[in-house]
Amino acid sequence: MQTMVRAIVRPEKCDDVLAALMDAGFPAVTKFNVAGRGKQRGIKIGEIQYDEIPKVMLICVVDDKDKEFVVKTIMESARTGAKGAFGDGKIFVSPVEEMYTISSGVKES
């Protein structure tokens, strides 16, 4: 069985996460820019309220046996400082029921 790991991280941490995944043997990642807010409902700087904060979403599909290792790798490389900080991001894990290669039409297991 396969698992999809989606991580929303700070833009400045994206290269660190990608390098850590590559070094760990997980080079296949989809990356795109997103914007949103967490529990803190954005950020206020002076009189200006920013409701949507820029982030990067990384998506990878891994074997179930590698799920915890990949999550740990992302967490360690995306965390700000030793204890982390608000806005460091989230990781979402979900099962992949089916997967197909478009070029061949082959269903992967």
Side-chain angles (χ1 to χ4, degrees):
M1 188 87 171
Q2 300 279 300
T3 298
M4 180 179 291
V5 179
R6 290 173 287 200
I8 299 174
V9 301
R10 294 176 183 268
E12 64 270 19
K13 288 294 198 171
C14 181
D15 288 343
D16 294 342
V17 175
L18 291 173
L21 288 170
M22 178 73 81
D23 291 347
F26 299 93
V29 178
T30 299
K31 166 188 158 182
F32 52 98
N33 295 323
V34 296
R37 62 177 180 258
K39 293 177 187 175
Q40 73 272 21
R41 300 182 188 155
I43 187 170
K44 187 172 184 174
I45 301 174
E47 294 298 315
I48 301 173
Q49 175 73 28
Y50 297 95
D51 289 331
E52 294 181 350
I53 309 299
K55 300 287 182 180
V56 176
M57 180 180 283
L58 303 171
I59 299 175
C60 57
V61 176
V62 300
D63 290 331
D64 282 346
K65 65 180 176 54
D66 298 321
K67 170 183 65 177
E68 289 184 30
F69 178 74
V70 168
V71 167
K72 181 181 177 197
T73 300
I74 294 169
M75 235 185 267
E76 289 175 355
S77 56
R79 186 175 287 135
T80 302
K83 294 186 177 185
F86 287 113
D88 278 350
K90 289 276 189 195
I91 299 173
F92 302 94
V93 178
S94 54
V96 174
E97 292 183 26
E98 294 181 0
M99 186 167 58
Y100 298 85
T101 298
I102 292 174
S103 61
S104 65
V106 173
K107 180 178 179 180
E108 298 180 39
S109 53

